[in-house]
Amino acid sequence: FGIEAGFDLAWAVEPKLDHGFLCPLSLLTPEFNVPVVPIFQNSSTEPLPPFRRCAELGTMLRAAVEARGTDERVVLLAGGGLSHWVATPEMGDINSEFDRWFLGRVEQGDLAALVALDVADVGERAGNGGQEIRNWITAMAAGQGPGELFCYEPVEQWATGMALARLFAR
């Protein structure tokens, strides 16, 4: 489906799932008895995809799920920290102002503002780890609706802004 939709998706025999996958999955399905299709997006290595492309991926994922033609329930789970700097002199910094601005766009369903973000500007304001917002943007585009923020906390011990939201109400 991806190739027909203009996405050259890669495939891995044994992908290594890290904390970004395993922490939320261990809460949602402690027995790990639900089929999972992990999708990795580049959020750390240049060239970083523009946020517009992440939204296009989300739209394609929604179309792929709808094309399945089953009544099977599908959940798209996005993980990734908000502002944080990894292995840089700024490590430990959290930009709560950026995080709250971003989460406000999530709550409003303002995908246009997020896809208009400049990659370099996000790196400056939210750190190299803040580039993980791509996962949120992809999920928002797949859901095509406003989000509901449950909580936000700048967690100094983890050196990142953390939030939990339902990215669409459907």
Side-chain angles (χ1 to χ4, degrees):
F1 192 95
I3 298 232
E4 292 296 321
F7 279 86
D8 299 325
L9 301 170
W11 179 77
V13 175
E14 293 184 34
K16 303 294 183 203
L17 301 183
D18 65 4
H19 64 281
F21 286 95
L22 294 176
C23 289
L25 285 175
S26 68
L27 296 173
L28 292 174
T29 176
E31 303 299 322
F32 291 94
N33 58 354
V34 174
V36 174
V37 178
I39 298 173
F40 294 86
Q41 288 191 97
N42 177 19
S43 294
S44 63
T45 306
E46 297 286 342
L48 292 167
F51 298 109
R52 166 194 50 80
R53 189 65 172 153
C54 300
E56 291 169 357
L57 174 62
T59 301
M60 186 274 298
L61 290 172
R62 180 183 185 96
V65 169
E66 290 174 346
R68 291 172 48 97
T70 70
D71 58 359
E72 187 175 47
R73 291 179 54 140
V74 175
V75 172
L76 182 58
L77 176 67
L82 298 173
S83 67
H84 64 292
W85 284 256
V86 179
T88 70
E90 298 86 4
M91 190 164 174
D93 288 354
I94 299 170
N95 184 346
S96 295
E97 183 179 322
F98 174 86
D99 294 348
R100 292 182 196 285
W101 177 86
F102 176 81
L103 294 168
R105 305 298 75 74
V106 170
E107 288 182 294
Q108 295 170 11
D110 189 357
L111 189 59
L114 298 179
V115 299
L117 287 170
D118 178 74
V119 172
D121 185 54
V122 169
E124 287 290 319
R125 294 172 50 209
N128 55 348
Q131 299 289 349
E132 294 173 4
I133 63 171
R134 283 171 173 73
N135 301 322
W136 292 66
I137 292 169
T138 299
M140 282 182 67
Q144 301 175 341
E148 179 181 359
L149 180 64
F150 296 121
C151 62
Y152 168 75
E153 187 73 31
V155 182
E156 292 181 17
Q157 298 89 337
W158 297 347
T160 188
M162 297 293 295
L164 178 62
R166 179 174 31 210
L167 298 178
F168 48 93
R170 298 177 192 216

